Amino acid sequence: MGVEKIVVLGTGGTIAGLAAPAADSRVYVAAQKPVAELVTGLAAPSGFELLSEQVAQIDSKDMDLAVWQKLLQRCVHWLAQADVRGLVITHGTDTLEETAFLLQTVLAPRKPVVLTCAMRPADAADADGPQNLRDALVVAATAGAQGVLAVCAGRIFGAQDVQKVHSSRLDAFSAGEAGDVGRVHQGHVDRQRDWPQPREPQEMLLEVLLRASALPRVEIVLSHAAACGATVDMLVDPAAAARFGVPPVRGLVLAGTGGGTVHHELEAALRRAQAGGVRVLRSTRCNDGFLQPRPKDEFPVAAGLSAVKARLALMLELLH
Ligand code: SIN
């Protein structure tokens, strides 16, 4: 085996963003700078060679099935190469947690796949992307590192727990009560928890996902004061779906109040939806804390998952 490689896959985001000419760095366009330029001049971790590949160039708010399919294909390709130690994926912060969760659920790799990002564009005088990218490379090169991880502002998170919790701070992510996997400090990793556990690859799921032309439709319903049950009735009405030319809803994720409770109007509507064959999962709109299944739970709990991750989990289950 020749020199070990770390492959950096570019998907866009603010880390590849450029400020509009003469504007301050808060006014910029994401996904402009090619990944090959992001890695130019970066020193590879000692003993490694860096490769890069542009998989997509998008603002991650626009993430879709086609980009996920391409990213999965390229991850599978590179992870299978004996001389590749790990992957780094540059990604927008906005849906980073969804991509991380998808990759961990489908691939659960024995090698590290490290997503990284930035809160300031690449050409800002105080850009945070280069340091985040250097830290991600350090994690990918660390002996024993495995699974899908996210690195931002010197912190390492597991894919299951990572969540964007701040709209503007550089330290924009948290793993909540699960805690960080560790920190990167001056080129070294201080680990606080186990790496995400590898699993046998979900080959069937991967195949179905790569062939899919659409994901099963699953929507998120937020419970709040003065909620209206008709919102759910309209969402699951097949005639409404047909009118808009979209597939009917197959699942609903409830982002409930507090411990996953739900306004009584929504509860009645969710019960009607479930009786009509729509899968309903319960999560919470709180950032922190774990939902406990309750005896005689009408709506099963999406244990340990935020609403967006519960939605993805349900879509993958329905696809499978
Ligand atoms: C994006 O998610 O692509 C834009 C925002 C960001 O990266 O912070």
Side-chain angles (χ1 to χ4, degrees):
M1 189 166 75
V3 184
E4 278 198 285
K5 298 177 178 65
I6 297 172
V7 185
V8 184
L9 302 177
T11 70
T14 295
I15 191 167
L18 294 176
D24 74 39
S25 68
R26 286 166 297 180
V27 185
Y28 67 91
V29 184
Q32 301 297 304
K33 198 165 171 171
V35 67
E37 288 180 29
L38 297 182
V39 300
T40 300
L42 277 191
S46 167
F48 289 90
E49 184 188 335
L50 282 190
L51 302 180
S52 70
E53 182 178 296
Q54 196 77 50
V55 172
Q57 189 66 298
I58 62 161
D59 185 320
S60 79
K61 72 180 174 57
D62 298 323
M63 183 55 72
D64 61 17
L65 176 63
V67 175
W68 273 341
Q69 286 171 324
K70 187 156 179 220
L71 184 60
L72 276 162
Q73 274 166 339
R74 298 317 292 158
C75 286
V76 168
H77 166 81
W78 286 114
L79 289 169
Q81 313 299 313
D83 60 352
V84 169
R85 166 68 76 88
L87 309 181
V88 167
I89 300 173
T90 55
H91 199 290
T93 59
D94 287 341
T95 59
L96 178 145
E97 67 213 58
E98 288 165 72
T99 299
F101 180 76
L102 177 84
L103 295 177
Q104 177 64 23
T105 305
V106 180
L107 303 178
R110 289 183 188 281
K111 295 181 182 182
V113 173
V114 188
L115 286 91
T116 194
C117 54
M119 293 296 285
R120 292 180 182 148
D123 58 351
D126 49 4
D128 53 330
Q131 186 58 48
N132 285 344
L133 192 44
R134 274 193 289 274
D135 288 347
L137 293 171
V138 167
V139 175
T142 297
Q146 63 180 22
V148 181
L149 300 148
V151 167
C152 184
R155 299 170 66 183
I156 311 168
F157 309 97
Q160 184 86 4
D161 315 304
V162 66
Q163 196 173 353
K164 185 172 179 181
V165 293
H166 203 280
S167 60
S168 58
R169 218 168 53 193
L170 298 190
D171 186 7
F173 288 86
S174 166
E177 287 170 4
D180 299 5
V181 169
R183 284 174 193 271
V184 194
H185 184 62
Q186 297 189 334
H188 295 282
V189 168
D190 294 324
R191 196 149 57 83
Q192 294 152 6
R193 289 180 55 201
D194 287 344
W195 302 110
Q197 287 307 301
R199 253 191 297 97
E200 286 311 307
Q202 306 260 314
E203 272 162 23
M204 277 282 288
L205 175 59
L206 178 65
E207 207 182 302
V208 175
L209 188 53
L210 292 182
R211 273 194 282 111
S213 54
L215 287 165
R217 193 160 154 233
V218 175
E219 302 291 349
I220 296 173
V221 176
L222 186 79
S223 190
H224 48 76
C228 167
T231 310
V232 170
D233 295 328
M234 286 187 285
L235 260 181
V236 300
D237 178 6
R243 197 159 63 248
F244 290 105
V246 292
V249 166
R250 297 191 49 204
L252 292 172
V253 171
L254 164 69
T257 32
T261 52
V262 54
H263 189 285
H264 65 92
E265 287 239 357
L266 280 185
E267 187 172 10
L270 289 172
R271 220 178 273 139
R272 288 193 289 277
Q274 192 164 254
V278 173
R279 290 280 305 279
V280 180
L281 273 189
R282 192 159 57 86
S283 71
T284 171
R285 64 185 210 179
C286 294
N287 276 348
D288 287 334
F290 297 103
L291 286 197
Q292 300 294 344
R294 290 187 299 234
K296 302 208 188 107
D297 234 348
E298 268 188 288
F299 310 123
V301 164
L305 295 182
S306 64
V308 289
K309 289 181 182 171
R311 174 176 175 265
L312 253 174
L314 185 51
M315 287 195 296
L316 293 178
E317 195 188 317
L318 290 168
L319 191 68
H320 213 13

